[in-house]
Amino acid sequence: MEHNDKISRILDLYNKFENGETVCKSYEAAKYGVDERSIRRDIDDIKKYYDRKKVDGSGISNRIVYNRDKKGYCLEHDHSRKLSNAQILAVCKILLDGRAFTKKQMDNILGKLIDCCVPEYNQKLVKELIANEQYHYIEPQHKKEFLDTLWALGKAIHNRQYIEISYGRIKDKKTVKRKLKPAAIMFSEFYFYLTAFIQDESTREGFETAGDAYPTIYRIDRIQDITLLDEPFRVPYRDRFEEGEFRKRVQFMFGGKLQQIKFQYSGASLEAILDRLPTAKILSEENGVYTISAEVFGKGIDMWIRSQGDAVKMLRYEKSPIQPLAP
């Protein structure tokens, strides 16, 4: 009977904590006809229960603390494992501005992000702050849902597994087949891309750069079919593909060679140039005109330079001395 009384007492105390009430040892001891040490042991048992729940994946850590002002023990909610209001708002805005997904996918992702990562009492506010932009969201023109393909590619990269794809080219609207050694998944301006090394030598013979040792770039939404081949490949650690270094040099997702450029910039926002070209270095400055060098990959830099008008004056292109990225 005493054991059952203890269980009932602990459950009553637990419910008080969950309901936001303050638990006073002396009051509870008098109520249940026990000494304060028994109530203290009950509180310790409940504390241990909350400690075990810290790893349950809910994202919320609850702990019992003594509140001097209330002269009792209270349950304190720790939302540190969840995103703050500002963080989730920033992530949602980036997703909406990225415009990478269909309207249906975007609504689904935003809803899950807010439900899972924001404390319930703040969810309404966050939803209201993105509601207008979410309502007027314009999905990409391809209107394709490709998350399954994205994940399949991610697994192939992780498992170092050859793939074969059917790919719809933009330039001639033809569908081509490619056997690839997948290297990395990247995102840039509305689209996800796969960087990979072509394994068919006859295909590589038609490249503009003979014996091109650099990866090719494929828009993932244009991959019509993908087959994961039962054929693993091995890459020594020292020769691994480092997408972080590659990403610094491929801002425009166009194929081509690695090259060093040198140009003068006389526009109003030097910061925007340095952010756009992560490898950029300022060589000199005179009367507000900056001479800048950068290492870039592919032909996309040509279009960007033309888009800058008179603010950018190209001085030199040359092949980069950096060794090709390992396949």
Side-chain angles (χ1 to χ4, degrees), residues 84-100:
S84 69
N85 292 349
Q87 289 170 334
I88 195 64
L89 179 61
V91 170
C92 289
K93 287 289 186 179
I94 290 170
L95 276 171
L96 287 163
D97 188 59
R99 289 181 52 207

Side-chain angles (χ1 to χ4, degrees), residues 145-212:
E145 297 188 354
F146 54 86
L147 287 177
D148 288 343
T149 301
L150 190 74
W151 183 244
L153 292 170
K155 288 195 294 184
I157 293 167
H158 179 268
N159 296 331
R160 295 177 179 174
Q161 189 174 3
Y162 283 105
I163 62 173
E164 189 172 82
I165 65 170
S166 296
Y167 186 74
R169 293 196 303 204
I170 297 177
K171 61 180 181 181
D172 56 12
K173 311 301 181 186
K174 289 183 179 180
T175 298
V176 297
K177 285 189 177 295
R178 295 283 186 263
K179 180 182 177 182
L180 304 171
K181 182 188 290 186
I185 293 171
M186 298 181 175
F187 177 79
S188 179
E189 296 178 307
F190 316 125
Y191 307 117
F192 283 92
Y193 296 86
L194 168 70
T195 57
F197 296 91
I198 294 178
Q199 296 306 296
D200 187 346
E201 292 300 326
S202 62
T203 300
R204 296 171 63 85
E205 288 174 2
F207 282 16
E208 180 181 336
T209 304
D212 192 352

Side-chain angles (χ1 to χ4, degrees), residues 157-275:
I157 293 167
H158 179 268
N159 296 331
R160 295 177 179 174
Q161 189 174 3
Y162 283 105
I163 62 173
E164 189 172 82
I165 65 170
S166 296
Y167 186 74
R169 293 196 303 204
I170 297 177
K171 61 180 181 181
D172 56 12
K173 311 301 181 186
K174 289 183 179 180
T175 298
V176 297
K177 285 189 177 295
R178 295 283 186 263
K179 180 182 177 182
L180 304 171
K181 182 188 290 186
I185 293 171
M186 298 181 175
F187 177 79
S188 179
E189 296 178 307
F190 316 125
Y191 307 117
F192 283 92
Y193 296 86
L194 168 70
T195 57
F197 296 91
I198 294 178
Q199 296 306 296
D200 187 346
E201 292 300 326
S202 62
T203 300
R204 296 171 63 85
E205 288 174 2
F207 282 16
E208 180 181 336
T209 304
D212 192 352
Y214 298 104
T216 49
I217 301 171
Y218 302 88
R219 253 178 56 183
I220 290 178
D221 61 278
R222 302 191 70 85
I223 296 177
Q224 300 169 3
D225 184 58
I226 176 173
T227 302
L228 275 63
L229 303 178
D230 189 17
E231 185 180 350
F233 59 86
R234 180 177 175 275
V235 179
Y237 182 79
R238 61 183 174 81
D239 294 332
R240 72 195 186 282
F241 180 79
E242 297 188 73
E243 59 261 44
E245 289 300 315
F246 183 66
R247 188 66 181 87
K248 291 178 186 177
R249 297 164 173 83
V250 58
Q251 297 82 33
F252 309 98
M253 293 300 166
F254 276 83
K257 60 186 179 181
L258 194 62
Q259 57 190 341
Q260 195 83 21
I261 63 171
K262 185 177 179 182
F263 61 93
Q264 287 183 333
Y265 177 71
S266 57
S269 179
L270 176 65
E271 185 179 76
I273 299 297
L274 299 179
D275 286 338

Side-chain angles (χ1 to χ4, degrees), residues 291-318:
T291 300
I292 298 171
S293 69
E295 194 173 58
V296 296
F297 180 89
K299 299 178 179 179
I301 187 68
D302 297 331
M303 291 186 291
W304 176 80
I305 287 171
R306 288 196 294 271
S307 74
Q308 300 303 302
D310 295 336
V312 170
K313 179 183 178 182
M314 182 55 61
L315 300 178
R316 186 178 73 241
Y317 286 95
E318 61 183 32

